[in-house]
Amino acid sequence: MPTASTPTHCPYCALQCGMALSPLPAGGVEVVERPDFPVNRGALCGKGRTAPAVLSSGVRLTSPLVRSGGSLVPAGWEEALDRIAGEFARVRAAHGADALGVFGGGGLTNEKAYALGKFARVVLGTSQIDYNGRFCMSSAAAAGIKAFGLDRGLPFPMEDIPRTGCVILVGSNPAETMPPALRFFDELRENGGTLIVVDPRRTRTAEHADLHLAPRPGTDLALALGLLHLIVAEGRVDEEYVRERTTGWEDARAAAMAHWPEYVERITGVSVPQLRQAVRLFCEPGAAMVLTARGPEQQSKGTDTVGAWINLCLATGRAGRPFSGYGCLTGQGNGQGGREHGQKADQLPGYRKLDDPAARRHVAGVWGVDPDSLPGPGRSAYELLDALGSDVRSLLLMGSNPVVSAPRAAHVEERIRSLDFLAVCDVVLSETAALADVVLPVTQWAEETGTTTSLEGRVLLRRRALAAPDGVRSDLEVLHGLAARLGVEKGFPTDPEEVFEELRRASAGGIADYSGISYRRLAEGAGEGVFWPCPADPADLEDPEATSELTEPVDGGAGRQDGGAGRRERGTPRLFLDRFATEDGRARFVPVSHRPAAEEPDEDYPVLLTTGRVVAQYQSGAQTRRVDELNAAAPGPFVELHPRLAARLGAAEGDALAVVSRRGRAVAPARITPGIRPDTVFMPFHWPGEGRANSLTNPALDPTSRMPEFKVCAVRVEKAAGTP
């Protein structure tokens, strides 16, 4: 175990705050600040400060478990791995390779995500792989690729936010989801800029805004179109920019003009004066940004909704210019890198498309296999979970807890229970792991070295700070052991740096090109990371220890960055300043029109439900619910509702309320606040059991991104007997 503090990064959200881990005399580590890291400058939320609590052997798994007589009992590693490999081989022989499924996670390091995708396609030969990042920002990714030819959460670093003139923050609550990021928005206002928050709730973030727009859930698309209509009507379009740097404006303008302000007011509930005020605040400064998060993205029309907000940026010349542009605030810790290197059903490393023959040839050459042996695209995340027990008979799951986090969760739990065989790799016995036939205890962030990619596209190095407990192995060791048992002796190293070197070669020339990044470079770069794309000289790939001396800005198909001042040491912090990543270098307007949510209120289900997070818990809560300090701050689920709705129900603060949808029922105490629309209730989704919010949510999928509609469904609310 190291004796000095080890610089690393928080294991939770995509902000990837810098921290250091200092050894304690009695064993274990404590978190100390790292003021030098530019994203958080030493600040940490409660989750980051308490992250070492989950490293305790009293909290986490330290032995493999196998199911025997209906119960999970401790077992040795050889027995556990033999059982998984034997079951996978049996199912493949009986039902074919696509009867095997793999489900990954947005918290896995780049090395693990890469190895897991390779394992599915090379060892198992299955197309049935996806990951929970599909539930995170897939709609923003799809819209970004359509418009810009490239998807990176933020095309600029967070440090640019205080330097713009206005930010429209759509469906995002960083005050609770990534608290250290809030200072960027506060600094924006201190510098004379303005913040517009779009959210049906008056969140902690909305309290910091100059203007809060509270649209009806599911109407963000209409809102964006109404703003674009006003921009055209008021003569605020940047005609020169549109002419020189975009295509498709005429069709997008025609679609927007069908959404006149009074019509949009009726749809959204946002008044015409507020619409006009938002347009003025956004258009008057010389620079502005639109940032989206799960609110507009987790909808059955999420890709079109994000596309409408991108159109707003393009029409006003606010993309590909300094301190301007569209960006997405990624959620999970490695939600960006996790989808770039092979976990996603339709992608290969480097953000290559699985159905692209050239991409298949390149990656197959790195892997040493026949391109024709690689399976084609498989099912998206929810479709994969829905197929469990029927087409997909056995599943390997890493770093995810879909029993709590998936939409229509009771149905997903039923499908998981119907599997012939389930193997789970996790650090704790999550609700999903408790259903497994084999559970493998794996190392955590502080016990292993690996890279992650933040919401900025900043590739970072997490360093090992302490040894894992006896009986715990890394996910890379798991894949190595299973691959060998299934007949693939080579190609699955256990050393993360060796895996990353192969990832560099596999990503070379792709959209997400990491080939110019190495562990040495990340370690020597003051710990600030390197932004992709970062292509390498061919010599760099021949010699992993080589460091490039190039100082010119790197294009990588994404456009020059930093106005000519970018240096190779940082990669590409700013995209699109010269050109977009399309064939002709122009951004694409995509014409879109408003349409209702997949499920609108009616007499039986007259209220809208939206879901989200609270500051003291994270995702499905599998880890944070095991930390006493965090549980004291957020002990359980609740139903947030407006006083007028509470009065109609005869409900008081703390009363047990049942929220019922067409898919299930959840019970939690009432939390009454005027900060939410009277036609809407909100539930956080971190808890299992009777308060499981995702028992209610709708799995209706966006036709492009295959994102489920977590953020809006029809429910009825009624008083429930007893105390939740």
Side-chain angles (χ1 to χ4, degrees), residues 504 508-509 513-517 521 534-541 548 550 554 568:
R504 293 176 64 199
D513 191 335
Y514 283 31
S515 60
I517 306 172
R521 183 170 175 182
C534 184
D537 282 345
D540 290 342
L541 295 179
S548 174
L550 291 178
V554 177
R568 189 60 191 279

Side-chain angles (χ1 to χ4, degrees), residues 561-645:
Q561 73 290 339
D562 280 351
R567 296 179 63 85
R568 189 60 191 279
E569 286 75 11
R570 297 188 74 199
T572 314
R574 295 174 181 86
L575 302 174
F576 313 140
L577 294 187
D578 281 350
R579 67 189 308 274
F580 295 96
T582 56
E583 289 185 4
D584 61 5
R586 292 170 173 262
R588 312 282 195 236
F589 281 98
V590 178
V592 294
S593 296
H594 171 71
R595 61 183 185 274
E599 184 178 79
E600 292 286 340
D602 57 23
E603 289 185 3
D604 295 325
Y605 301 94
V607 177
L608 289 166
L609 168 72
T610 191
T611 63
R613 287 171 47 188
V614 297
V615 66
Q617 301 289 353
Y618 180 72
Q619 302 298 79
S620 75
Q623 296 183 44
T624 52
R625 284 187 277 111
R626 287 166 167 81
V627 179
D628 291 342
E629 180 179 331
L630 300 179
N631 281 333
F638 56 87
V639 181
E640 184 178 282
L641 72 164
H642 192 274
R644 278 160 44 189
L645 178 55

Side-chain angles (χ1 to χ4, degrees), residues 11 45 71 246 280 302 333 370 405 418 421 425 549 567 602 642 704:
C45 72
S71 301
T246 73
R280 178 179 59 79
D370 184 343
S405 64
S418 71
F421 184 80
C425 299
E549 297 302 321
R567 296 179 63 85
D602 57 23
H642 192 274
T704 302

Side-chain angles (χ1 to χ4, degrees), residues 26-37:
V29 292
E30 66 176 348
V31 170
V32 295
E33 293 182 356
R34 260 184 70 191
D36 60 316
F37 188 63

Side-chain angles (χ1 to χ4, degrees), residues 13-15 135-138 140-141 151-158 161 167-175 177-178 181-182 184-185 195 205 289-297 306 326-333 335-336 339 454-456 613:
C13 82
L15 209 57
F135 301 156
C136 179
M137 58 174 289
S138 57
D151 154 46
R152 195 180 84 185
L154 293 181
F156 40 73
M158 295 286 288
I161 291 173
V167 171
I168 302 180
L169 190 59
V170 189
S172 177
N173 183 17
T177 58
M178 46 181 66
L182 190 63
F184 290 106
F185 301 101
L195 174 64
T205 303
M289 299 174 179
V290 172
L291 305 178
T292 68
R294 306 302 79 75
E297 298 162 17
V306 173
Y326 164 77
C328 168
L329 298 179
T330 312
Q332 295 190 78
Q336 182 71 51
R339 72 178 178 281
S454 76
L455 78 171
E456 305 167 294
R613 287 171 47 188

Side-chain angles (χ1 to χ4, degrees), residues 32-256:
V32 295
E33 293 182 356
R34 260 184 70 191
D36 60 316
F37 188 63
V39 175
N40 63 309
R41 302 178 198 165
L44 294 167
C45 72
K47 295 184 293 291
R49 286 188 296 98
T50 61
V54 188
L55 299 168
S56 167
S57 59
V59 173
R60 48 96 59 83
L61 297 168
T62 56
S63 170
L65 304 173
V66 300
R67 192 162 296 280
S68 176
S71 301
L72 288 170
V73 298
W77 271 95
E78 301 310 306
E79 176 189 352
L81 292 173
D82 286 347
R83 185 164 174 184
I84 296 172
E87 287 291 332
F88 280 14
R90 179 189 64 78
V91 168
R92 184 169 58 184
H95 304 286
D98 275 356
L100 301 174
V102 176
F103 199 87
L108 300 180
T109 62
N110 290 317
E111 293 80 3
K112 295 177 187 179
Y114 172 84
L116 188 61
K118 181 181 178 183
F119 176 84
R121 296 177 174 108
V122 172
V123 178
L124 300 182
T126 183
S127 67
Q128 300 303 301
I129 175 172
D130 212 79
Y131 81 126
N132 64 11
R134 177 80 67 169
F135 301 156
C136 179
M137 58 174 289
S138 57
S139 293
I145 290 170
K146 284 184 178 183
F148 307 130
L150 181 151
D151 154 46
R152 195 180 84 185
L154 293 181
F156 40 73
M158 295 286 288
E159 65 197 44
D160 284 2
I161 291 173
R163 303 167 72 182
T164 193
C166 177
V167 171
I168 302 180
L169 190 59
V170 189
S172 177
N173 183 17
E176 297 204 60
T177 58
M178 46 181 66
L182 190 63
R183 68 173 175 81
F184 290 106
F185 301 101
D186 288 341
E187 288 175 8
L188 162 73
R189 299 182 69 210
E190 291 167 5
N191 292 341
T194 55
L195 174 64
I196 302 171
V197 169
V198 179
D199 200 301
R201 305 166 60 221
R202 189 161 183 81
T203 62
R204 295 185 186 183
T205 303
E207 295 288 346
H208 291 249
D210 298 280
L211 176 64
H212 173 215
L213 307 180
R216 184 174 179 268
T219 65
D220 309 86
L221 174 53
L223 178 63
L225 288 164
L227 295 177
L228 184 53
H229 177 112
L230 285 170
I231 284 169
V232 175
E234 295 178 4
R236 297 180 183 271
V237 175
D238 187 333
E239 301 286 357
E240 181 181 359
Y241 174 93
V242 168
R243 184 173 55 253
E244 295 183 355
R245 299 204 61 186
T246 73
T247 62
W249 168 233
E250 294 301 325
D251 289 341
R253 180 177 62 184

